[in-house]
Amino acid sequence: MTPSRRGLTAAALLTIAATLTTVTPATAAPNSVTGLPIGDADLTETRSSEGLARGVTLTRIVRGTEPAPADQINTTPRGPWVVSVLTIDPRRARGQLQATYGADLAQVEKTSDLVRTAGAVAGVNASFFTFTANPAYPGEQVGLGIFDGKLLSEPLTDPAEANLLIDAKSNKVLTGHLSWTGQLRNRWTGATLPLEFVNHPPLDGDVVLFTPEFAAATPSGAGVEVVFDRRGCVVRTATTRGTTLTKSQFAVQATGPETDALRALTTRGCVDRQLAVADQRGRKVQLHKGLYGVTGRYQLTSNGAVVVPPGSGSFFARNPRTIAGTTADGKIILATIDGRQTTSVGTTMDETAAVAKALGLHDSINLDGGGSTAMARADGTLVNHPSGAGGAERAVGDAVVFVPR
């Protein structure tokens, strides 16, 4: 599914205000902003803001003034840090926060292209995806993917997964860890067959649901594949996997010992797909049009408190970061932190959580980062400076965008 082009062009964007503030802790007035709580306390910090549309503001924060020595990027307390903050006030903004992907789920596109194609005011990269782990399907999400009410990728059981759930109709955003259940049920016999995955190539002994949004064709290989029409009635059954689906069809693949179970379930009668999603309290999440969900890794703040766990290794070290969450008064914030550069060193997970809290994020998660971190404007120009060679932007699986009415 490729989102239609609509909304404002870059030339038509309304510039509401532009301000520049320099914060020098040594001379700051009482109760004034004292800067982000990272690095040495005496660092100079500048903030500049501009309005992109009604209720949508872009703020650039630069903390530290001297480039970091290349061999001290991971350790220097002097920074610098460059943070781009997109703030959306649902009470004033006219539009919807959504998640979007490219031509299909399996392929990748640059965040800037996804923002421009969606006709969005701005947006950031979103979910973790397979990237180089599966060259045939590099955009395949690693975790939850809900698009306009359709569950197109199931959440993981890994407690480190953190999900961003968006109700575009109300522009309400929730964070947490969702769970799911899925099965096929034969309407005639009542027999059921559990689903292991949604839109992921099966391993041995898996039963997987595939929708037309996945790719140009379903994964090929040994096993059984049953194609259904929109009513859930069998269109065809094949003893090998791999086929093309129309927009009104879906398929179920089985491998290993599950092939016989799939054949038995679908020999007679039609089936229902029964997919259910629940929040971390076990409450049912109604899948409806306008609902979107993407996947991150680790909750940063919850109810105003920092909750990121301790950890070690490259993931917890300084990296470029993408953050999403909400303030206590309901504003939505999408932020990027440039990293792995002498001009912006990036943040550890602890530093990322500290930035999120300082930005006023009551609830927030860490989205995909590293070379994926990107923020773009309506015309596709980048706001931040990606960490790829020469600032090259990486193609990603999906993005979170604000689309004007």
Side-chain angles (χ1 to χ4, degrees):
M1 169 175 86
T2 303
S4 61
R5 183 186 299 276
R6 54 179 173 156
L8 300 177
T9 64
L13 288 176
L14 174 64
T15 300
I16 297 174
T19 61
L20 176 63
T21 303
T22 301
V23 179
T24 307
T27 60
N31 301 318
S32 67
V33 175
T34 57
L36 298 176
I38 50 176
D40 291 339
D42 66 339
L43 291 175
T44 296
E45 182 175 300
T46 60
R47 300 188 178 206
S48 57
S49 296
E50 62 177 305
L52 300 186
R54 176 174 173 172
V56 183
T57 304
L58 175 63
T59 301
R60 176 180 169 88
I61 305 172
V62 181
R63 182 169 177 80
T65 57
E66 297 297 325
D71 61 348
Q72 296 178 29
I73 287 175
N74 289 320
T75 57
T76 177
R78 304 299 296 173
W81 288 274
V82 177
V83 184
S84 302
V85 184
L86 187 68
T87 303
I88 302 162
D89 185 349
R91 294 165 296 187
R92 299 183 60 242
R94 295 176 177 175
Q96 293 184 338
L97 192 69
Q98 302 174 1
T100 186
Y101 55 91
D104 57 49
L105 293 171
Q107 298 308 309
V108 290
E109 289 194 30
K110 294 177 181 178
T111 299
S112 56
D113 290 333
L114 292 172
V115 170
R116 179 176 49 80
T117 303
V121 172
V124 298
N125 68 291
S127 300
F128 286 83
F129 57 104
T130 56
F131 191 34
T132 57
N134 191 341
Y137 310 110
E140 178 193 347
Q141 286 177 288
V142 183
L144 178 75
I146 299 174
F147 297 90
D148 205 14
K150 296 180 180 180
L151 180 66
L152 300 183
S153 180
E154 81 291 339
L156 304 177
T157 57
D158 185 349
E161 177 174 327
N163 303 128
L164 186 76
L165 196 64
I166 304 164
D167 186 338
K169 294 182 179 180
S170 62
N171 279 329
K172 290 185 178 179
V173 173
L174 299 175
T175 63
H177 184 186
L178 275 64
S179 60
W180 86 295
T181 57
Q183 65 177 12
L184 295 179
R185 180 182 181 277
N186 188 293
R187 294 180 203 149
W188 288 11
T189 66
T192 61
L193 182 63
L195 296 167
E196 270 78 31
F197 305 113
V198 179
N199 288 324
H200 300 296
L203 303 175
D204 186 49
D206 287 339
V207 179
V208 183
L209 168 69
F210 285 95
T211 70
E213 292 87 356
F214 174 68
T218 58
S220 60
V224 168
E225 183 165 22
V226 182
V227 176
F228 303 86
D229 62 21
R230 62 162 52 96
R231 300 171 300 164
C233 299
V234 176
V235 173
R236 60 184 180 274
T237 299
T239 54
T240 57
R241 297 182 294 110
T243 191
T244 300
L245 300 175
T246 69
K247 291 183 179 180
S248 62
Q249 295 176 336
F250 67 93
V252 177
Q253 294 188 351
T255 56
E258 297 297 338
T259 56
D260 290 339
L262 179 59
R263 284 197 194 96
L265 185 79
T266 58
T267 298
R268 297 180 59 195
C270 301
V271 303
D272 291 319
R273 292 175 290 179
Q274 298 180 331
L275 307 176
V277 177
D279 65 18
Q280 57 192 27
R281 297 182 181 180
R283 298 173 299 191
K284 182 179 180 180
V285 173
Q286 188 68 41
L287 296 172
H288 60 79
K289 285 188 69 63
L291 185 71
Y292 297 86
V294 296
T295 184
R297 191 163 182 84
Y298 297 112
Q299 185 101 14
L300 298 172
T301 58
S302 179
N303 293 320
V306 170
V307 295
V308 68
S312 59
S314 60
F315 190 89
F316 283 82
R318 280 184 176 165
N319 289 290
R321 303 287 182 180
T322 303
I323 302 169
T326 56
T327 63
D329 60 356
K331 292 185 179 68
I332 301 164
I333 289 182
L334 306 174
T336 59
I337 304 171
D338 289 346
R340 300 179 188 162
Q341 303 166 62
T342 59
T343 53
S344 184
V345 297
T347 50
T348 66
M349 285 300 295
D350 287 339
E351 290 170 336
T352 306
V355 170
K357 184 174 175 62
L359 294 176
L361 285 166
H362 192 68
D363 298 295
S364 61
I365 67 169
N366 175 68
L367 292 173
D368 189 17
S372 299
T373 287
M375 179 184 290
R377 296 171 178 264
D379 62 357
T381 57
L382 287 172
V383 172
N384 75 313
H385 192 272
S387 63
E393 183 184 2
R394 174 186 290 171
V396 298
D398 60 11
V400 174
V401 299
F402 185 75
V403 181
R405 290 194 182 96

